[in-house]
Amino acid sequence: MASWSPDAPCSCDCFVSVPPASAIPAVIFAKNSDRPRDEVQEVVFVPAGTHTPGSWLQCTYIKVEQVWKTHAVILSRPSWLWGAEMGANEHGVCIGNEAVWTKEPVGEGEALLGMDLLRLALERGSTAQEAVLVIAGLLERYGQGGSCREDPVPFCYHNTFLLADRTEAWVLETAGKLWAAQRIQGGARNISNQLSIGTDISAEHPKLRSHAKAQGWWNGQDAFNFAEVFSLTQQPVRMEAAKARFQAGRELLQQRQGSITVEVMMDILRNKESGICMDSGGFRTTASMVSVLPQDPTKPCVHFLTATPDPSRSVFKPFIFEVGVTQVPQVLSPTFGAQDPVQILPRFQTQVDRRHLLYRGHQAALGLMEAEQDQGKQLREKQQSLEQEGLEALRGLLTGERTPPPQGLGSLFQAFVEKEHQTYA
């Protein structure tokens, strides 16, 4: 059985604000992806598609039956795998996942990664609620499992998810094939590597309670509290630390109730004191995302992605699903085909250089920021100026003061990536 280890990449933080917690009539979603510190995350655009009935889809480790139609998606993903740590689809659905350990055992057998489930839900769900049901169905049919990092020593976990769309959000927490979900129709919510759904359960696996009772975890008489019933009695040290991060994140959201904006979410993701902006030992925040999902369906959803580590020294760049959207090459990692260590059995026996162009430029910029105070300060000011330009574009779109042609919106992310890359060059 796979076990927890001190260097395990087991910390992430997801946040959502649903009106009236938001300062604007929009749902705001955010995530920091905390992973092994040298792991590269790429930003991948996958267009909508139609598929042959009865065809099969290769995910990271296993194949699943393909559906006939899939939605366009933008994904921030560790470049060695098929799924994603976070992303959005053309219908304004956003999802982030987190590692979690429960009383249900975690095996090393290869199945769907939580990151695979995330991508599949984005490709198949047109609302947050639909995405919840997609994940539940895939869990029941295929299960979850397999190593979640690029390393010969297996590292496995189960998953929790935060899902949002233009009108609401859902928290989905799993234990093997079992799950519970909570609907959020107003207010702010966060998740951080632990079960957090108590008695307020909006939907659940039909055998959730009977299984808990059969295992002796619940007596069938007391109120059914999912987190209490399924959480490990002895938590690993990192999971205990996650409680402090969860509490800090909740307090940061509560302090800004009613005035949460995209800038507030970015500030939370950059908060180092709480550990939300992670840089500790073998892992760190390797990529970040903030999305604005207006309740007015005539206004576009805007997704800000870094494609680089450490949000406190990165640029959130705006992406919009519109005419002319294509893959941006500067944030796409090289591929290695059949020679990729993930494809050769036994897996992960060697390492390859997966750094994309923007990652390389940003890596050099980070070194300059640490070594040369004056030049580093100038670079950070250029980053902030570029990010502010993207935020101004967002404000113009939300207020109607700026109505660029669809082609301009579709190429927005590429334009900002190119500007950032030129800054580092």
Side-chain angles (χ1 to χ4, degrees), residues 45 48 190 279:
F45 170 71
N190 62 311
D279 191 352

Side-chain angles (χ1 to χ4, degrees), residues 300-303 318-323 325 397 409-413:
C301 297
V302 184
H303 312 283
F319 174 93
I320 299 176
F321 287 96
E322 262 297 357
V323 177
V325 174
L397 289 168
L409 294 179
S411 61
L412 197 62
F413 185 67

Side-chain angles (χ1 to χ4, degrees), residues 54-276:
S55 62
W56 289 79
L57 172 68
Q58 179 66 53
C59 300
T60 301
Y61 297 128
I62 69 167
K63 291 181 179 180
V64 299
E65 191 171 2
Q66 181 61 287
V67 294
W68 76 276
K69 184 178 181 180
T70 51
H71 310 310
V73 296
I74 188 75
L75 307 169
S76 184
R77 73 177 187 188
S79 54
W80 62 269
L81 51 77
W82 181 85
E85 274 279 298
M86 51 202 169
N89 70 21
E90 61 185 307
H91 300 289
V93 178
C94 296
I95 310 177
N97 80 307
E98 310 253 345
V100 70
W101 291 265
T102 72
K103 290 175 182 174
E104 280 295 296
V106 177
E108 294 178 14
E110 293 185 345
L112 288 173
L113 296 179
M115 292 169 279
D116 293 338
L117 290 164
L118 186 154
R119 175 173 173 177
L120 289 163
L122 287 173
E123 290 185 342
R124 301 177 180 196
S126 58
T127 67
Q129 186 172 13
E130 277 187 18
V132 167
L133 297 176
V134 168
I135 293 174
L138 290 165
L139 275 176
E140 187 67 27
R141 184 170 179 183
Y142 302 103
Q144 58 180 322
S147 186
C148 299
R149 66 176 172 183
E150 195 178 10
D151 192 281
V153 179
F155 179 71
C156 312
Y157 50 75
H158 292 159
N159 292 265
T160 64
F161 302 87
L162 184 61
L163 311 93
D165 59 28
R166 289 180 182 267
T167 62
E168 64 182 12
W170 285 76
V171 173
L172 171 63
E173 300 184 337
T174 73
K177 291 188 175 186
L178 303 172
W179 56 273
Q182 180 185 30
R183 189 178 197 174
I184 300 136
Q185 295 178 293
R189 183 73 153 82
N190 62 311
I191 59 173
S192 297
N193 302 113
Q194 59 193 291
L195 298 181
S196 61
I197 297 174
T199 57
D200 185 9
I201 300 173
S202 306
E204 64 188 73
H205 189 284
K207 296 182 180 178
L208 181 70
R209 301 187 192 213
S210 60
H211 179 79
K213 190 174 179 181
Q215 295 295 318
W217 302 336
W218 178 56
N219 60 18
Q221 302 297 320
D222 296 339
F224 184 81
N225 183 307
F226 177 70
E228 289 184 2
V229 170
F230 276 86
S231 291
L232 289 166
T233 306
Q234 282 291 109
Q235 298 278 17
V237 176
R238 279 254 181 235
M239 287 189 72
E240 286 293 335
K243 290 182 180 179
R245 265 192 2 266
F246 174 73
Q247 182 61 30
R250 185 166 63 178
E251 289 174 1
L252 288 168
L253 288 173
Q254 288 175 345
Q255 289 167 10
R256 303 301 297 269
Q257 280 275 4
S259 60
I260 297 173
T261 62
V262 63
E263 293 94 335
V264 168
M265 285 297 199
M266 289 177 182
D267 286 345
I268 291 174
L269 296 186
R270 287 171 167 147
N271 190 296
K272 286 185 176 289
E273 183 181 358
S274 63
I276 291 169

